[in-house]
Amino acid sequence: MTQKQKQLIALVTGLCIPFLLVSGVSAMHIMEGYLAPQYCVAWGVACIPFLVAGFISIKKLSIEHRKALILLAMVGAYTFVISALKVPSVTGSCSHATGTPLGALLFGPSAMSIIGLIVLLFQALLLAHGGITTLGANTFSMAIAGPFIAFGVYKLSLLLKAPKHFAVFLACFLGDLGTYCITSVQLAMAYPSEVGGFSASLAKFMGIFATTQVPLAIIEGLLSVVIVMALEAHAKTELTEIGFTGGLAK
Amino acid sequence: MSKTNKNRTVIIVLLLLCVVIAVIPLITLGQSAAFGGADDAAGDLITSIDDNYTPWFSAPFEKLFAGGEIPGEIESLLFCLQAALGSGLFFFILGRLTMRTKMRKALVENGIDIEKAESVK
């Protein structure tokens, strides 16, 4: 990243912070119309710096590692498929995996903010899954928080000398679960319970989202390992190109 | 067992495991659960916390339909379409990649230096 791009991200972040303070920020995706306007705006603004960083990171990829773009397309398609598949879970309701952690491991977390945004926009516009007004909040949980958690867990696992495939599993498992914990936090902030306030609401939303998500997060982790194995067998060139070759890559 | 065969076994086992995890709730809870979306459950919870709450915005696309909701069949069509487009692209690329591995192997077996051939191009 060049100096200028770093400055741009810093500038955008700086511009966004006052916005968040003023607006008083005190899914499955969160449904359309279920988040009050000030939260919609606040979460949307919170996403902007990450999206700028993501745009720059994808642009850089398309210039420096053109060959690896095919993997980015693949990861995007994977996110598309996986977030359309609602799977039954132990709580008796259905949810879906996110698909974004895998891409974060390959291309870095900020690149996935753009990919995730595209998927969420499609779902909001055409499927009434999630929503335009809740796009910011959903982007933050699925396309930013999830990928960043996954990326952090992956690097940490490798530092602790965990086997690579196990690191991939753990990162994608926690990235997926993290997405829904963030969703719960977002909803609990918007709907603090009359008795018990934020924490009581959080416990309830966690009960719905996080519990439902546990088996799905395991599936997400397993599928990610399968895809990494397939890529290692057939896309070694591209993986080397983006520095995903095992051990402690950059 | 060669490395490729071992990998293949591991992949098949992992995929089967995914299917098992997805199917267990259906078998154990099949009679008692409705398997609605977790997001709908959250919507109900919101209404229980604040019983006056009404969603203040609905998707423009939904207004096209009677009752302001996409009919179930149309919704599943759209979800299918999303999954189909995604997996179509995913497996198209994977197919190209697996074929590439095969071709490279064939080239090497015939004594052609791939790196050299690619640098000429």
Side-chain angles (χ1 to χ4, degrees):
Chain A
M1 207 180 282
T2 65
Q3 196 62 30
K4 211 172 165 190
Q5 287 168 335
K6 274 184 189 156
Q7 281 167 357
L8 177 66
I9 294 175
L11 179 73
V12 175
T13 314
L15 286 176
C16 291
I17 287 171
F19 225 107
L20 291 177
L21 296 177
V22 171
S23 59
V25 173
S26 65
M28 291 294 240
H29 315 321
I30 300 176
M31 289 187 298
E32 186 79 285
Y34 270 93
L35 212 51
Q38 72 267 29
Y39 288 99
C40 300
V41 174
W43 287 111
V45 171
C47 291
I48 293 173
F50 295 97
L51 291 171
V52 173
F55 183 76
I56 293 171
S57 129
I58 288 182
K59 204 175 157 205
K60 187 177 160 217
L61 185 79
S62 69
I63 294 168
E64 290 175 15
H65 304 293
R66 259 206 108 62
K67 271 190 192 162
L69 277 182
I70 192 167
L71 289 193
L72 189 67
M74 227 173 156
V75 163
Y78 168 68
T79 306
F80 223 62
V81 182
I82 215 76
S83 59
L85 298 179
K86 299 186 189 179
V87 178
S89 174
V90 284
T91 51
S93 47
C94 294
S95 186
H96 57 82
T98 63
T100 45
L102 174 70
L105 305 190
L106 295 176
F107 293 100
S110 49
M112 286 319 283
S113 65
I114 302 284
I115 303 283
L117 176 69
I118 295 170
V119 173
L120 285 166
L121 196 62
F122 174 89
Q123 292 184 328
L125 285 175
L126 289 179
L127 296 175
H129 180 203
I132 296 296
T133 55
T134 51
L135 187 63
N138 288 327
T139 304
F140 194 87
S141 62
M142 179 177 136
I144 294 170
F148 271 89
I149 293 170
F151 191 74
V153 170
Y154 180 67
K155 291 286 161 184
L156 193 69
S157 311
L158 290 185
L159 264 180
L160 297 173
K161 307 249 185 293
K164 187 176 173 200
H165 288 164
F166 179 74
V168 170
F169 170 79
L170 196 66
C172 294
F173 171 74
L174 290 176
D176 181 304
L177 205 57
T179 294
Y180 288 86
C181 292
I182 299 290
T183 303
S184 305
V185 170
Q186 288 171 330
L187 282 171
M189 276 162 78
Y191 299 100
S193 174
E194 264 175 48
V195 206
F198 171 78
S199 47
S201 276
L202 181 63
K204 281 187 192 163
F205 284 115
M206 283 283 206
I208 292 179
F209 283 115
T211 321
T212 306
Q213 201 62 25
V214 171
L216 284 149
I218 298 175
I219 292 180
E220 168 121 44
L222 296 176
L223 277 183
S224 302
V225 173
V226 167
I227 293 177
V228 166
M229 287 175 74
L231 292 182
E232 279 170 347
H234 297 294
K236 201 90 206 167
T237 330
E238 285 78 9
L239 290 181
T240 315
E241 178 92 23
I242 52 175
F244 189 83
T245 41
L248 259 183
K250 49 175 172 172
Chain B
M1 210 163 28
S2 77
K3 188 163 179 275
T4 337
N5 278 335
K6 198 180 147 210
N7 274 355
R8 194 167 295 162
T9 319
V10 172
I11 287 180
I12 291 171
V13 169
L14 291 182
L15 289 178
L16 279 179
L17 209 55
C18 289
V19 174
V20 169
I21 293 172
V23 170
I24 283 175
L26 281 181
I27 296 171
T28 53
L29 303 171
Q31 300 290 324
S32 56
F35 292 109
D39 48 0
D40 286 333
D44 293 343
L45 179 57
I46 290 170
T47 329
S48 80
I49 292 174
D50 177 359
D51 43 344
N52 293 321
Y53 194 83
T54 41
W56 61 281
F57 189 88
S58 63
F61 186 62
E62 286 192 270
K63 296 206 181 85
L64 292 175
F65 300 101
E69 247 183 58
I70 299 178
E73 293 297 317
I74 308 293
E75 194 177 343
S76 61
L77 167 72
L78 288 167
F79 271 100
C80 274
L81 192 65
Q82 186 187 345
L85 288 174
S87 61
L89 180 61
F90 184 89
F91 287 106
F92 172 73
I93 298 176
L94 190 64
R96 289 181 58 119
L97 291 176
T98 46
M99 209 52 212
R100 186 183 68 179
T101 316
K102 231 177 177 173
M103 301 297 256
R104 280 188 178 167
K105 221 169 160 189
L107 286 175
V108 172
E109 271 164 14
N110 286 304
I112 296 169
D113 186 341
I114 303 172
E115 307 239 323
K116 208 170 155 194
E118 279 190 348
S119 65
V120 170
K121 179 184 70 180

